[in-house]
Amino acid sequence: MKDFRLYAITGEQFHPGRALLEVMEEAIAGGVEIIQLRDKDSSREEVLRKARALRELTRKHGVTFIVNDYIDIALEVDADGIHLGQDDLSLQEARKLVGDKIIGISTHAIEEALVAEEQGADYIGVGPVFATKTKVDVVDPVTVAYVQEVASRIRIPFVAIGGIKLSNVDEVIAAGATRICAVSEIVGSADVAGTCRAFLSKLEGRE
């Protein structure tokens, strides 16, 4: 997979009245390098419709496209990869289905991170770093201490996620994160592209 710094996840509840594609195109304009479609509420048909549209958008702009959970949809639209949680299909089983596509795994403890690395994950999510309202079944915040531990022990790419805002991202970067994922702070922003550029400035040490 291509290296990346800024990863955005769809969260339509944070931009009522604004179209999904419009918001994600603005995120791409701001420098987002990976977009993940995560939709736990819509029908499979609706998720597939969104996946097709986002696949077309991301391909047009050369952005990596990841589908959360729906391996069949990821394959149907030829997404670049999938993202799985700890309670989803095992990484080994997923690998049999998706071949050399990207597989990302959510982790909440160093033991999970080490297993994901050993089993061949292409990247891991590290979080939630802070409290977040994005997911209703979220575990307790792992804090920047977990980010520090992963930065010192894990060799595959990792992305810090969960409650990350422009106001607290400096703590995450100081803990060793070089890749950031944000949801509400990006897609719920009045200036999506500007918010993305501000995150990148911080990651690049320009702020």
Side-chain angles (χ1 to χ4, degrees):
M1 63 183 294
K2 295 183 290 187
D3 200 11
F4 65 95
R5 296 163 300 169
L6 190 59
Y7 187 132
I9 296 178
T10 60
E12 292 172 86
Q13 68 269 37
F14 298 113
H15 56 86
R18 299 195 66 199
L20 172 64
L21 286 189
E22 174 191 342
V23 171
M24 301 322 291
E25 190 157 27
E26 287 183 22
I28 291 171
V32 160
E33 294 142 304
I34 296 184
I35 284 178
Q36 180 193 131
L37 171 60
R38 182 168 71 195
D39 187 334
K40 304 283 190 179
D41 301 316
S42 299
S43 67
R44 184 193 181 280
E45 292 73 19
E46 181 66 9
V47 175
L48 177 59
R49 184 191 67 79
K50 293 174 186 178
R52 283 178 173 148
L54 285 170
R55 172 70 288 187
E56 183 177 343
L57 177 70
T58 51
R59 186 167 278 146
K60 173 184 172 184
H61 292 285
V63 169
T64 299
F65 179 49
I66 303 290
V67 174
N68 185 279
D69 290 351
Y70 287 92
I71 294 177
D72 56 338
I73 289 177
L75 292 170
E76 187 166 343
V77 304
D78 193 26
D80 297 300
I82 59 169
H83 189 91
L84 301 172
Q86 288 293 314
D87 298 325
D88 295 326
L89 189 69
S90 73
L91 198 156
Q92 297 99 320
E93 291 301 313
R95 182 61 75 194
K96 293 176 186 176
L97 295 172
V98 305
D100 61 359
K101 288 185 182 293
I102 296 165
I103 300 180
I105 302 290
S106 294
T107 73
H108 318 295
I110 193 63
E111 295 78 15
E112 295 172 351
L114 290 165
V115 168
E117 180 178 55
E118 180 184 347
Q119 293 182 349
D122 294 290
Y123 76 92
I124 58 170
V126 171
V129 181
F130 305 107
T132 175
K133 296 180 181 178
T134 301
K135 299 173 74 175
V136 295
D137 57 346
V138 75
V139 298
D140 291 335
V142 297
T143 77
V144 293
Y146 179 41
V147 176
Q148 289 177 312
E149 193 169 16
V150 169
S152 66
R153 297 183 62 183
I154 298 298
R155 297 178 299 279
I156 61 173
F158 74 90
V159 56
I161 181 172
I164 296 177
K165 314 285 186 186
L166 287 171
S167 60
N168 61 25
V169 70
D170 290 338
E171 296 175 56
V172 187
I173 295 169
T178 60
R179 304 171 188 87
I180 296 295
C181 180
V183 186
S184 61
E185 185 79 342
I186 289 177
V187 303
S189 173
D191 180 4
V192 173
T195 298
C196 293
R197 285 191 286 267
F199 270 123
L200 287 167
S201 291
K202 287 178 175 289
L203 284 163
E204 294 163 2
R206 291 188 278 119
E207 282 191 10

